[in-house]
Amino acid sequence: MTALLFVFSVFLAAQPEVDQVRELDLAGWVSLAYQNSPAISSADASLLSSEASLTSSKSFLWPSLTMSAGASRTWSSMPVTGGGIEDSETNSFSTSLSLSQELLQSGGQNWLYLEASELSLLAAEADHRGDVLNVTMDVVNAYYGVLEAVELKKAAEAAHERSLSQLNRTEALYEIGGVTTLQLLQVQVQESSDKLAVSRRDQSLFSTYSTLFNAAGMDRSIENLQINPDAVVEPLPLESVQRISLDYSGNPGILGASFRARAAELQSTAAGRAYWPSLRASAGWSWNDNTLDDVDRMLDNDGYNAGISLSWNVFDGFLRESRIKTARASSLISQASLETLENSVSASVESLSNSLKLDIQYYSDSRLMLEQAQEQYRLSLMSYEMGALPLMDLLDAQSDLSQAEANLVSARVAALTSEASLLIQLGRMPRVGE
């Protein structure tokens, strides 16, 4: 008996584990997107490139040190007096170190370019944050799309259960002559329609899950994940929505455009410094000899040098003027883009704020409409069972209840989505959990 139990336990241990469904809340899905989304990887790469550009712009702050060494052997032949040719061989060895430091490039042009690079990095950081918020919004939209599909499917199943129950009662009454054939057909059509609605909701749920997995950068065939409908925040009350500050200065797009406009202005100023001279200091050491055998005097043939050089580009075929005009044009374009973006964001924030207030009000009204439809259906069912209400009126009350349930689901999702869109436009992280 003990051996049998041992074999049975080994058999169970050898069975492959069935993939368990993991339910994640919105915060969990957002976290997965941060780890797996290609958009996040691309944003990280862009930020890394901007950091490298800033490092390159700082290179002038450090001196440049160069070392070189060489060895050569020369063979030569020359005629000598009295006839004949004399062959000779000569060796040459050399090494040198040179140190140079840029003191002033075109009247401080490099310092302006450095400051512009720092602003460009700040713009890249703002873009990175904007990309993160965009990915978050994509996941939020997809998550609430799944939530709506799940709740609508539940509502459709509840409506089908009511229709099926009514159909069973109607068929029983039809067998005893309690209802007409037309009434039976009406109930059958209602039940068939509700059954088809369940199938459509199921297909919609599959589609929305695919969208959610794409937004999170996940492969649906590998990960067995679902949302947790019980871990969803409720829409904010209207009083809380009215207290939301509509200051959009934290919008990443506006911040990035502002930094770029300032950087373009600095680059335009720096381009104008091209008329100024450049100043560079240098120092060096060199050694040259024709042998390496005599170590004692090896370093006797060396030399040192130090100096300061001034260079001034007097004329370059109007290339300098062309660069100045190009930089000025870029500055004007950046400023115009900033103003256009500010106007767009301002209008968008105002529109989203109004939409959110309307969605909150509609959500509140939808709850009242659902309560009314539930009570109306209850009274209609009682009246129908007592013979005081026609079957068509009962079916209408049943349809109104199903529509009210679906409206409440859509109103809730619309309110949550509008809230997230408004916060994202303001440059803030939306609510992803309590």
Side-chain angles (χ1 to χ4, degrees):
M1 184 65 179
T2 303
L4 181 61
L5 290 175
F6 176 75
V7 172
F8 184 69
S9 62
V10 172
F11 173 77
L12 291 179
Q15 297 302 308
E17 296 184 1
V18 179
D19 291 338
Q20 295 182 351
V21 177
R22 288 195 300 152
E23 290 188 347
L24 297 179
D25 60 2
L26 180 54
W29 283 97
V30 170
S31 178
L32 286 178
Y34 290 168
Q35 298 174 16
N36 302 284
S37 174
I40 297 294
S41 299
S42 178
D44 292 340
S46 297
L47 182 59
L48 183 61
S49 177
S50 297
E51 292 173 348
S53 297
L54 177 60
T55 302
S56 176
S57 299
K58 290 181 177 180
S59 62
F60 76 93
L61 297 174
W62 301 90
S64 175
L65 180 63
T66 304
M67 178 181 180
S68 62
S72 63
R73 186 179 184 88
T74 305
W75 293 268
S76 62
S77 299
M78 57 182 304
V80 295
T81 304
I85 296 177
E86 180 180 357
D87 296 328
S88 63
E89 297 179 359
T90 304
N91 296 324
S92 177
F93 305 93
S94 63
T95 186
S96 64
L97 284 173
S98 61
L99 182 70
S100 63
Q101 173 66 55
E102 189 175 57
L103 301 179
L104 190 66
Q105 180 189 23
S106 297
Q109 188 181 60
N110 45 6
W111 290 97
L112 294 175
Y113 281 132
L114 174 59
E115 188 175 353
S117 295
E118 292 173 346
L119 291 172
S120 297
L121 177 58
L122 293 177
E125 292 175 348
D127 290 343
H128 184 273
R129 185 166 179 269
D131 291 334
V132 171
L133 289 177
N134 289 336
V135 169
T136 303
M137 192 66 227
D138 291 341
V139 175
V140 167
N141 284 330
Y143 184 90
Y144 286 143
V146 173
L147 175 66
E148 183 178 17
V150 168
E151 297 298 331
L152 288 177
K153 181 182 177 182
K154 290 181 180 178
E157 290 173 344
H160 180 247
E161 289 179 1
R162 290 190 293 267
S163 298
L164 186 60
S165 176
Q166 183 62 40
L167 177 61
N168 293 333
R169 288 196 301 266
T170 304
E171 287 177 343
L173 291 173
Y174 181 76
E175 291 178 357
I176 61 176
V179 296
T180 64
T181 302
L182 178 60
Q183 291 175 322
L184 176 62
L185 289 175
Q186 290 172 338
V187 176
Q188 288 176 338
V189 169
Q190 182 68 40
E191 188 275 336
S192 178
S193 176
D194 290 340
K195 184 178 181 180
L196 179 60
V198 173
S199 299
R200 288 177 176 174
R201 296 303 184 190
D202 188 65
Q203 178 63 31
S204 176
L205 178 60
F206 179 85
S207 177
T208 53
Y209 259 120
S210 299
T211 302
L212 178 58
F213 273 86
N214 289 335
M218 303 292 292
D219 188 351
R220 188 173 184 178
S221 62
I222 298 176
E223 297 289 342
N224 196 3
L225 302 175
Q226 292 183 2
I227 71 167
N228 184 2
D230 299 327
V232 178
V233 297
E234 282 297 313
L236 292 173
L238 188 58
E239 296 77 11
S240 299
V241 171
Q242 292 174 342
R243 289 196 298 267
I244 295 178
S245 173
L246 300 184
D247 179 17
Y248 54 84
S249 60
N251 180 281
I254 290 181
L255 288 175
S258 176
F259 288 134
R260 287 192 177 87
R262 291 164 56 187
E265 184 177 356
L266 285 173
Q267 289 171 346
S268 177
T269 304
R273 297 285 184 91
Y275 288 106
W276 295 35
S278 298
L279 186 64
R280 174 179 291 272
S282 62
W285 169 83
S286 62
W287 168 83
N288 185 281
D289 204 344
N290 59 4
T291 180
L292 296 177
D293 296 336
D294 192 351
V295 179
D296 294 335
R297 72 174 192 86
M298 181 178 295
L299 299 180
D300 291 344
N301 298 330
D302 61 347
Y304 301 87
N305 65 84
I308 294 180
S309 61
L310 181 70
S311 61
W312 198 346
N313 187 1
V314 178
F315 180 72
D316 57 3
F318 300 106
L319 177 62
R320 174 173 47 198
E321 286 73 14
S322 175
R323 290 174 177 173
I324 292 174
K325 291 180 180 179
T326 301
R328 181 56 182 166
S330 297
S331 177
L332 294 175
I333 292 174
S334 299
Q335 188 63 38
S337 298
L338 174 60
E339 294 176 359
T340 301
L341 183 59
E342 287 178 340
N343 294 334
S344 176
V345 171
S346 176
S348 177
V349 165
E350 184 177 358
S351 176
L352 288 172
S353 177
N354 294 332
S355 297
L356 176 57
K357 293 174 183 177
L358 292 175
D359 290 337
I360 294 295
Q361 185 62 49
Y362 182 64
Y363 174 63
S364 178
D365 294 342
S366 296
R367 287 188 296 182
L368 296 177
M369 292 170 60
L370 177 59
E371 294 177 3
Q372 178 187 0
Q374 290 173 339
E375 183 64 15
Q376 183 65 41
Y377 174 72
R378 186 183 69 84
L379 295 176
S380 298
L381 183 59
M382 291 175 56
S383 299
Y384 173 76
E385 291 175 348
M386 292 186 297
L389 188 73
L391 178 60
M392 282 302 300
D393 291 344
L394 175 62
L395 295 179
D396 289 341
Q398 182 174 312
S399 298
D400 291 342
L401 176 57
S402 300
Q403 186 63 42
E405 291 174 340
N407 287 342
L408 180 62
V409 171
S410 298
R412 182 191 183 196
V413 170
L416 291 172
T417 304
S418 296
E419 176 194 332
S421 299
L422 175 60
L423 293 176
I424 289 291
Q425 194 70 286
L426 295 174
R428 308 174 196 172
M429 182 64 66
R431 291 189 300 155
V432 295
E434 297 293 353

